[in-house]
Amino acid sequence: AARLECELTDHAHRVALTEVAHWPDALAGLRVALNITAADLGDRGFADRFARTVTMAGVDPARLTLELTEQAMLGDPASAADQLAQLRLLGCAIAIDDFGTGYSSLSLLARLPIDYLKIDRSFVRDIVTDPSDRAIAEAVILMAHKLGMKVVAEGIETVAQRDLLAAAAC
């Protein structure tokens, strides 16, 4: 099952990067986010295959952000750290998606080469009215900044949500 999952990821990345390579020049500055899974990070050949796919597509790796969930880091932390380090050396940014909804390993988060944390929308939805959600979001933002990461919030739908998060440097 893991092998099939890796093949599916490889195929999705080939298709997406081929599309990106054919975008008009007006879109050349846009970043592109691609998902990676626990199976990908557990496959020691993943980073090399991804690098070849990027090269073959002719896409600048600096335009790419690879997103994974907290759960994806936990399967094989040593392999995850190795694969993420290789992907970062390639020039890609690394983001943790849906942060706060899984079983966070804060010590692992501190040791992995992560550029962005994406706060899950479940903490954003009631951030204006729920002091607990606001406290969690602010704590995550502060922790991420102390670890040298940028923070993105998912699911912002109101000006008040945006203003609160922007005031916390998200």
Side-chain angles (χ1 to χ4, degrees):
R3 183 70 236 142
L4 183 59
E5 189 174 343
C6 291
E7 289 177 18
L8 183 59
T9 298
D10 290 348
H11 174 72
H13 289 169
R14 277 192 305 275
V15 170
L17 291 170
T18 299
E19 286 294 318
V20 170
H22 291 95
W23 284 356
D25 290 343
L27 301 178
L30 290 181
R31 295 196 61 77
V32 178
L34 301 167
N35 291 319
I36 55 177
T37 68
D40 299 325
L41 292 177
D43 177 353
R44 300 217 178 254
F46 172 71
D48 289 333
R49 280 195 321 277
F50 183 78
R52 284 193 303 274
T53 301
V54 170
T55 299
M56 288 177 61
V59 175
D60 179 359
R63 292 180 62 192
L64 304 175
T65 299
L66 296 172
E67 295 188 1
L68 60 146
T69 64
E70 296 167 86
Q71 290 301 113
M73 298 184 304
L74 299 177
D76 183 348
S79 181
D82 181 53
Q83 296 299 311
L84 294 176
Q86 288 182 56
L87 293 165
R88 215 157 171 228
L89 281 174
L90 178 65
C92 300
I94 307 296
I96 301 295
D97 197 14
D98 301 330
F99 187 78
T101 60
Y103 298 99
S104 301
S105 171
L106 298 180
S107 65
L108 187 58
L109 186 65
R111 290 184 309 216
L112 292 176
I114 306 296
D115 299 290
Y116 298 92
L117 277 188
K118 293 176 66 180
I119 298 175
D120 187 73
R121 69 182 58 248
S122 63
F123 297 110
V124 173
R125 181 179 41 248
D126 297 321
I127 196 169
V128 175
T129 58
D130 186 334
S132 296
D133 283 351
R134 186 173 323 125
I136 290 169
E138 289 172 349
V140 167
I141 293 165
L142 180 62
M143 175 194 66
H145 288 164
K146 295 263 184 191
L147 293 172
M149 299 172 199
K150 296 176 184 163
V151 185
V152 176
E154 297 179 319
I156 297 172
E157 296 180 355
T158 69
V159 172
Q161 290 168 332
R162 183 204 61 202
D163 290 347
L164 271 173
L165 289 161
C170 177

